Amino acid sequence: MASQSMSGPAPAAGTVLTLHIAGMSCASCVAHVERALHKVEGVRAASVNLATEAATVTLAPEARLGALLQAVHAAGYEVVREPRTLAIEGMSCAACVGRVEQALQRVPGVVSASVNLATQQARVETVAGLPLAALVAAVGQAGYGAHAADEPGGAARAQASAATEERRLRRDVALAAALTAPVFVLAMGPKLIPGMHDWVMAILGHHGSWWLQFALTTLVLFGPGRRFFVKGLPALARGAPDMNALVALGTGAAWLYSVVATFAPALLPAGTVHVYFEVAAVIVTLVLVGRLLEARARGRTSEAIQRLLRIQPPTALVLRAGEWRELAVEQVVVGDLLQVRPGDKVAVDGEVVEGASWVDESMITGEPIPVEKTVGSRVVGGTLNTRGALRLRATQVGADTVLAQIIRMVEAAQGAKLPIQALVDRVTMVFVPVVMAIAALSFGLWLAYGPEPALSFALVNAVAVLIIACPCAMGLATPTSIMVATGRAAAMGLLFRQGHALQRLREADVVALDKTGTLTLGRPELTDLVVTADHARDEVLALVAAVESRSEHPIAQAIVAAARAAGLPLAEPQGFEASPGYGVHARVDGRRVDVGADRLMARLGLDVGVFAAQAQRLADEGKSPLYAAVDGRLAAIVAVADPLKPGSAAAVRALHALGLRVAMVTGDHARTAQAIARAAGIDEVVAEVLPAGKVEAVRRLRDGGRRVAFVGDGINDAPALAEADVGIAIGTGTDVAIESADVVLMSGDLAGVPRAIALSRATMRNIKQNLFWAFAYNAALIPLAAGALWPATGLLLSPMFAAAAMSLSSVCVLGNALRLRRFGAAAADAAVAAATPDAARPART
């Protein structure tokens, strides 16, 4: 991200900036902040008002906003900041991105600015209170249009603008092609078709042919091609040339030279009177065709957002004034009762208050199996009710629904810049001026040393250099891949809250997993019940569960839940009694039942040796066994544990297939943790960690320069998620954990972790392919366009072919990015399966 910092653009002398300060409570605070601001270099005056909680600062040119923010922070306060999103109009290449970013960064009060060519948006962070008009004006002075992307109707306005531009391009391409075709035939036909030269001379004559080409080419350049001159020439005048300037210079030079050759040939040296009208016309037509293909491809890259927007139904059946009414979803308020019929989509987030059904949540979580919903269950807007009727109470509506949050996350990730984009930004800021210099040098060398007619050779090669070097492909290489990848991820139930996670996740060396709720189900379950030969399993389970029904302990609740799941009736226990450190006792249907540790059995005089083998196995699995006695006789050995999620071991194997080490961080006893690690196939175990120690555990896993991705779901995981190089939150976890993470797995299935990593790797491969194509294309073809092959082979690159190649480069980059649309859960699993499985993996510790 480009940002205004200590070394950023300087403000104009005497600039007055208002900073809203958070955290002040008294006159002493005011004095602290004023002193801190006065110490900053370039601050001429600073006045802080406690009532308005604002500081008014007068700045000299050497002042930097970053220094002001740091000074206030060091004093113990914070400058209130505000995120803004602007829709930018008129950008066409990577150079445009740089110009807009620079213009925004120069606005006093802008903390950072990041512009995305693919989304045509700028994300700007400013000090609170900075007028939007200041940002819009700055973009306007740079030669582009801007408006608030999140203003009412902003999304619809952006879609309408894109559709209008595509329609205009289709019209202009058709007109340009119709006008260019005769020019091309008149210019190239006599050279390619025998007898056509004589026919043209007989019908039109030499000058008539040139005059007709002039008329048609002029219509092309100043009709459909007018956009290049209207935008390119002012940019050139400002000293900030862009792609439009390159096209305007190239086609304008070819047209102007041809006009002189047609109407004032005496002004040109002998032997150089040639026309290149077809070059100018064909270049404009081909560039417009490329722009049209880009516009269509850009529309396809944003399909993910459009699909998400279409998920929510437009209306809902709401109970109002005692009757059911079909209302627009925007009219639903929190607390409304909604009726959801079989086959209907859920309109808003809510809680089921009546009915039972199975709801297809695949559009949110990516998981295809419907989920059972009963009274008390939460439902998410946009999901599909498949069977029964549901009545629910709205709990979140509008911008607060899960779907709305997902859309915001995807939009934010799509508009982000990856660290790899910094290289592209640095190159493209100087690229266009360098290309113009190369074109001028090529013109001069050909004019001085080229064969006759040297002027013609100089013009053709300079135009070819200008046209072939348009940096469109460079600007589209990274953002288009990000847009497609984050959209596909959302369809798979993977939300990249931070765009940079797409790159950092690929670089991870270790995946650290929280145990409870992440690797395991997060709730204890009855895992083992082995009875003696003279007892029946269901009978013992019903008796033990009846006793434990009086206890609130999680182990007791797990046993009761298992009995109820088996459909066993539970009798009312009599005389319940708990013995701390030993167990519990009660009478059930007249029978005495004792449940507890081996020491309780010893107190009762019962030998548990008959279960020695089972006890040893349970100990090896990290489980603590309990025993049950009925009427004074040993009846069963029981174990309750928090079991692994069904897909945890498979997810760990998939991570290993990707060449990653897997660690587990848990507060459990080391023996229990090691047992879980063996069952899941985990490499490293960090056990007996207090909640506050998880951050230190992540730091320890970083030893040796390793990069760590941490996966967790609880409130106590939030600091570790923030500390890790990439934080991955289980979507079924807490809001705090999700807000601290870079990536969210909506389904809660750990299989999403290797899928996210596989997608990250596929995306980075795609971006590198795009960048290689964009840079290698220019590196290879600019010398060719300048005539580097002429001395050895006599070959030159026609400006027409240069235009076709330039348009093709952008289309290839977009087409390559769109391949990521085929990346789904199956493709991710296939990518994991195809990953090199023999990556060096140290022994488990």
Side-chain angles (χ1 to χ4, degrees):
M1 175 181 287
S3 64
Q4 187 183 63
S5 62
M6 294 290 288
S7 58
T15 295
V16 177
L17 189 61
T18 300
L19 305 176
H20 292 270
I21 312 295
M24 296 190 301
S25 58
C26 63
S28 178
C29 299
V30 170
H32 284 312
V33 175
E34 283 188 351
R35 279 198 300 271
L37 291 172
H38 277 118
K39 291 178 183 177
V40 177
E41 181 183 5
V43 172
R44 291 181 173 174
S47 175
V48 180
N49 188 311
L50 180 61
T52 61
E53 295 185 310
T56 303
V57 189
T58 305
L59 304 175
E62 64 269 21
R64 297 292 182 270
L65 178 60
L68 299 176
L69 302 181
Q70 291 172 16
V72 174
H73 176 74
Y77 308 90
E78 292 296 335
V79 175
V80 181
R81 307 183 190 188
E82 185 176 1
R84 303 278 185 82
T85 301
L86 299 179
I88 309 296
E89 300 167 358
M91 294 192 301
S92 59
C93 67
C96 300
V97 170
R99 311 298 176 210
V100 176
E101 281 186 351
Q102 286 185 341
L104 289 169
Q105 290 166 21
R106 283 194 288 266
V107 177
V110 170
V111 180
S112 64
S114 176
V115 179
N116 188 303
L117 178 62
T119 61
Q120 299 281 298
Q121 287 188 341
R123 296 188 181 277
V124 189
E125 185 179 32
T126 70
V127 297
L130 182 69
L132 176 66
L135 302 177
V136 173
V139 174
Q141 289 172 5
Y144 306 89
H147 63 272
D150 53 358
E151 67 184 14
R157 176 178 171 180
Q159 292 176 31
S161 176
T164 300
E165 176 63 12
E166 188 173 334
R167 285 195 301 272
R168 187 181 296 122
L169 280 168
R170 281 201 302 269
R171 181 200 66 199
D172 288 352
V173 165
L175 178 59
L179 295 172
T180 298
V183 177
F184 184 81
V185 169
L186 288 172
M188 303 303 295
K191 301 175 184 178
L192 301 174
I193 303 173
M196 186 169 180
H197 174 76
D198 295 335
W199 181 81
V200 171
M201 291 302 101
I203 300 297
L204 296 173
H206 182 74
H207 290 292
S209 174
W210 283 12
W211 291 340
L212 181 57
Q213 290 181 53
F214 160 74
L216 295 173
T217 301
T218 301
L219 290 174
V220 171
L221 261 63
F222 301 105
R226 181 173 177 270
R227 66 185 67 207
F228 301 116
F229 294 89
V230 169
K231 295 181 179 178
L233 295 182
L236 193 61
R238 289 192 300 268
D242 59 4
M243 172 193 172
N244 296 301
L246 294 180
V247 175
L249 279 177
T251 58
W255 177 83
L256 186 60
Y257 185 94
S258 302
V259 168
V260 173
T262 301
F263 298 104
L267 297 177
L268 298 176
T272 64
V273 180
H274 299 283
V275 294
Y276 300 97
F277 289 121
E278 83 284 359
V279 169
V282 170
I283 286 173
V284 166
T285 301
L286 289 175
V287 173
L288 287 173
V289 169
R291 289 256 181 114
L292 176 59
L293 294 175
E294 285 178 27
R296 289 178 175 174
R298 271 203 200 105
R300 291 168 68 189
T301 61
S302 62
E303 280 183 4
I305 290 291
Q306 300 308 315
R307 283 197 300 269
L308 288 172
L309 290 171
R310 290 194 295 266
I311 285 177
Q312 188 176 45
T315 61
L317 199 58
V318 185
L319 184 63
R320 290 283 175 86
E323 62 180 39
W324 293 101
R325 299 180 182 176
E326 189 164 357
L327 303 177
V329 71
E330 293 82 7
Q331 296 178 263
V332 179
V333 298
V334 173
D336 272 345
L337 287 178
L338 282 73
Q339 184 74 28
V340 186
R341 296 163 297 199
D344 284 352
K345 283 187 176 180
V346 179
V348 297
D349 296 359
E351 180 180 343
V352 177
V353 295
E354 183 180 324
S357 183
W358 292 81
V359 174
D360 180 358
E361 298 183 338
S362 59
M363 57 284 296
I364 301 294
T365 66
E367 295 299 316
I369 301 174
V371 179
E372 185 180 13
K373 301 294 182 180
T374 57
V375 174
S377 299
R378 294 179 60 85
V379 291
V380 176
T383 55
L384 179 66
N385 181 31
T386 62
R387 296 186 185 176
L390 292 175
R391 184 170 297 181
L392 59 95
R393 179 176 289 106
T395 55
Q396 279 92 30
V397 300
D400 296 327
T401 63
V402 169
L403 179 60
Q405 293 174 49
I406 289 173
I407 292 172
R408 286 198 298 272
M409 288 182 192
V410 175
E411 287 178 332
Q414 288 187 338
K417 280 192 175 181
L418 303 193
I420 196 173
Q421 181 70 19
L423 170 65
V424 182
D425 291 343
R426 287 196 298 270
V427 171
T428 52
M429 283 307 297
V430 298
F431 185 78
V432 174
V434 167
V435 166
M436 294 176 66
I438 293 173
L441 178 63
S442 174
F443 183 87
L445 290 174
W446 276 96
L447 189 62
Y449 303 107
E452 292 301 327
L455 182 59
S456 295
F457 278 106
L459 175 69
V460 169
N461 288 293
V463 170
V465 169
L466 288 172
I467 296 303
I468 205 164
C470 292
C472 305
M474 292 184 192
L476 294 169
T478 300
T480 50
S481 295
I482 295 173
M483 287 184 69
V484 179
T486 50
R488 287 305 303 151
M492 295 162 59
L494 310 173
L495 294 182
F496 283 83
R497 295 187 65 249
Q498 305 294 335
H500 63 71
L502 266 174
Q503 180 169 343
R504 292 185 182 172
L505 194 55
R506 171 193 171 276
E507 299 166 351
D509 302 300
V510 179
V511 177
L513 306 170
D514 171 58
K515 182 184 80 71
T516 305
T518 301
L519 266 172
T520 64
L521 292 173
R523 60 181 184 274
E525 290 188 351
L526 178 66
T527 58
D528 300 86
L529 176 60
V530 182
V531 297
T532 57
D534 52 347
H535 287 88
R537 185 183 188 280
D538 284 354
E539 176 193 25
V540 173
L541 177 56
L543 292 171
V544 171
V547 175
E548 296 288 10
S549 65
R550 287 295 185 89
S551 173
E552 295 298 324
H553 195 282
I555 290 178
Q557 293 176 357
I559 294 173
V560 172
R564 286 177 174 158
L568 301 176
L570 302 186
E572 184 68 23
Q574 304 294 324
F576 176 85
E577 181 182 348
S579 300
Y582 287 89
V584 293
H585 325 266
R587 299 193 70 82
V588 180
D589 290 336
R591 307 179 71 180
R592 177 180 173 84
V593 181
D594 300 271
V595 184
D598 53 0
R599 65 178 68 91
L600 174 61
M601 299 299 111
R603 176 189 282 184
L604 296 173
L606 301 176
D607 181 11
V608 296
V610 66
F611 290 123
Q614 288 87 347
Q616 182 60 48
R617 174 180 61 81
L618 294 175
D620 291 341
E621 294 174 358
K623 301 173 184 177
S624 299
L626 298 175
Y627 298 89
V630 178
D631 291 333
R633 295 163 54 207
L634 186 64
I637 183 172
V638 183
V640 171
D642 182 9
L644 286 172
K645 289 181 178 178
S648 291
V652 172
R653 289 195 298 272
L655 292 171
H656 286 156
L658 292 169
L660 298 165
R661 284 183 65 82
V662 183
M664 182 177 74
V665 180
T666 178
D668 280 357
H669 187 276
R671 184 172 182 178
T672 302
Q674 289 290 352
I676 291 289
R678 283 193 297 272
I682 286 170
D683 305 307
E684 299 181 40
V685 176
V686 184
E688 301 179 28
V689 176
L690 296 175
K694 289 187 177 181
V695 169
E696 182 57 34
V698 170
R699 291 173 181 162
R700 281 160 49 196
L701 289 170
R702 277 210 191 100
D703 287 349
R706 300 189 301 182
R707 282 153 295 198
V708 178
F710 184 85
V711 187
D713 76 322
I715 290 175
N716 58 14
D717 295 327
L721 288 166
E723 173 65 25
D725 296 282
V726 181
I728 304 175
I730 300 295
T732 51
T734 65
D735 291 341
V736 174
I738 291 171
E739 287 298 319
S740 302
D742 303 304
V743 184
V744 179
L745 310 182
M746 292 301 295
S747 69
D749 184 356
L750 268 186
V753 177
R755 287 173 184 171
I757 294 172
L759 176 61
S760 170
R761 293 182 177 182
T763 304
M764 293 310 300
R765 280 196 305 272
N766 193 271
I767 288 173
K768 289 179 178 179
Q769 291 163 0
N770 287 348
L771 290 176
F772 172 81
W773 174 259
F775 282 107
Y777 155 85
N778 281 290
L781 294 188
I782 288 177
L784 182 61
L789 294 181
W790 171 263
T793 65
L795 294 176
L796 290 175
L797 182 66
S798 165
M800 291 186 291
F801 289 111
M806 183 271 291
S807 297
L808 183 63
S809 69
S810 296
V811 174
C812 286
V813 163
L814 285 161
N816 188 50
L818 288 170
R819 290 192 308 114
L820 289 170
R821 296 199 310 167
R822 298 195 296 269
F823 194 99
D829 295 341
V832 171
T836 305
D838 54 356
R841 185 156 51 88
R844 189 177 302 134
T845 59

